[in-house]
């Protein structure tokens, strides 16, 4: 890496570090929705001003930040054939890696939801069984008490 790029890259690193202060923030419009504000832009107060860091016309980074998301657009110089190939490989890697992570997260969320539903069903079944057992025990106790009362009444006669 050339020494001329160091300040440019440090500036990008510092700006990204500052903009990564994200938090979980639900939608103000629809209950139980948590969408990236940088994409939907429903509230202007939740989206910060975009920052452009440019070394020259061909090399620049656009950083758009909101309360719960960040979007980074990178423009890389492609002066020769090697730079073009590297840029294509970089784009392919980032898009496939992003899609794989999203699919894995969705699968994990679905599995967790299914497990929670199964656990809830099992708990409900156990509770119902316990309630039925308690009712049966109460009925048996009532029958025993009635029999004892009848026996006592017969003995008193």
């Amino acid at each position: 890496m050339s020494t001329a790029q160091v300040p440019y890259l440090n500036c990008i690193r510092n700006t990204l570090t500052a903009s990564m202060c994200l938090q979980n923030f639900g939608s103000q419009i629809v209950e139980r929705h948590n969408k990236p504000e940088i994409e939907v832009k429903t509230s202007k107060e939740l989206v910060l001003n975009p920052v452009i860091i440019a070394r020259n016309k061909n090399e620049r980074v656009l950083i758009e930040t909101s309360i719960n998301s960040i979007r980074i657009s990178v423009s890389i110089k492609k002066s020769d054939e090697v730079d073009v190939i590297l840029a294509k490989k970089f784009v392919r890697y980032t898009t496939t890696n992003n899609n794989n992570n999203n699919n894995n997260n969705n699968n994990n969320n679905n599995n967790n939801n299914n497990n929670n539903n199964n656990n809830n069903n099992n708990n409900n079944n156990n509770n119902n069984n316990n309630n039925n057992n308690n009712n049966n025990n109460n009925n048996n106790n009532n029958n025993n008490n009635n029999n004892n009362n009848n026996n006592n009444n017969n003995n008193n006669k």
Side-chain angles (χ1 to χ4, degrees):
M1 175 179 4
S2 68
T3 57
Q5 285 185 333
V6 172
Y8 172 68
L9 296 176
N10 284 339
C11 183
I12 292 171
R13 177 180 290 139
N14 293 338
T15 306
L16 285 174
T17 302
S19 64
M20 291 275 187
C21 297
L22 305 174
Q23 64 184 11
N24 189 13
F25 190 83
S27 174
Q28 293 178 329
I29 297 169
V30 180
E31 187 176 341
R32 293 185 172 185
H33 279 237
N34 193 351
K35 296 186 178 180
E37 285 294 327
I38 201 68
E39 296 290 328
V40 294
K41 293 186 180 178
T42 55
S43 303
K44 287 187 178 185
E45 66 270 8
L46 300 176
V47 179
L48 300 175
N49 292 331
V51 176
I52 299 173
I53 303 170
R55 187 166 179 227
N56 56 38
K57 191 167 74 171
N58 296 328
E59 294 179 81
R60 63 181 179 269
V61 176
L62 170 66
I63 302 170
E64 298 172 283
T65 307
S66 71
I67 193 164
N68 63 354
S69 57
I70 184 169
R71 179 173 35 209
I72 304 166
S73 303
V74 180
S75 175
I76 303 170
K77 77 170 182 172
K78 295 173 253 176
S79 58
D80 59 355
E81 191 65 30
V82 174
D83 288 339
V84 171
I85 293 170
L86 287 175
K88 283 183 182 177
K89 291 203 178 274
F90 175 71
V91 169
R92 188 178 324 134
Y93 170 76
T94 54
T95 54
T96 56
N97 202 19
N98 185 26
N99 289 336
N100 288 340
N101 286 339
N102 285 340
N103 289 339
N104 288 340
N105 288 340
N106 288 339
N107 289 340
N108 289 341
N109 289 339
N110 288 339
N111 288 341
N112 288 340
N113 288 339
N114 289 339
N115 288 341
N116 287 340
N117 288 340
N118 288 341
N119 288 341
N120 288 339
N121 288 340
N122 288 342
N123 288 341
N124 288 340
N125 289 341
N126 288 342
N127 287 340
N128 288 339
N129 289 341
N130 288 342
N131 287 340
N132 288 340
N133 288 342
N134 287 341
N135 287 341
N136 288 341
N137 288 342
N138 287 341
N139 288 341
N140 288 342
N141 286 343
N142 287 340
N143 287 342
N144 287 342
N145 286 342
N146 286 340
N147 287 341
N148 286 343
N149 285 342
N150 287 342
N151 286 343
N152 286 343
N153 286 342
N154 287 340
N155 289 340
N156 287 342
K157 290 181 183 177

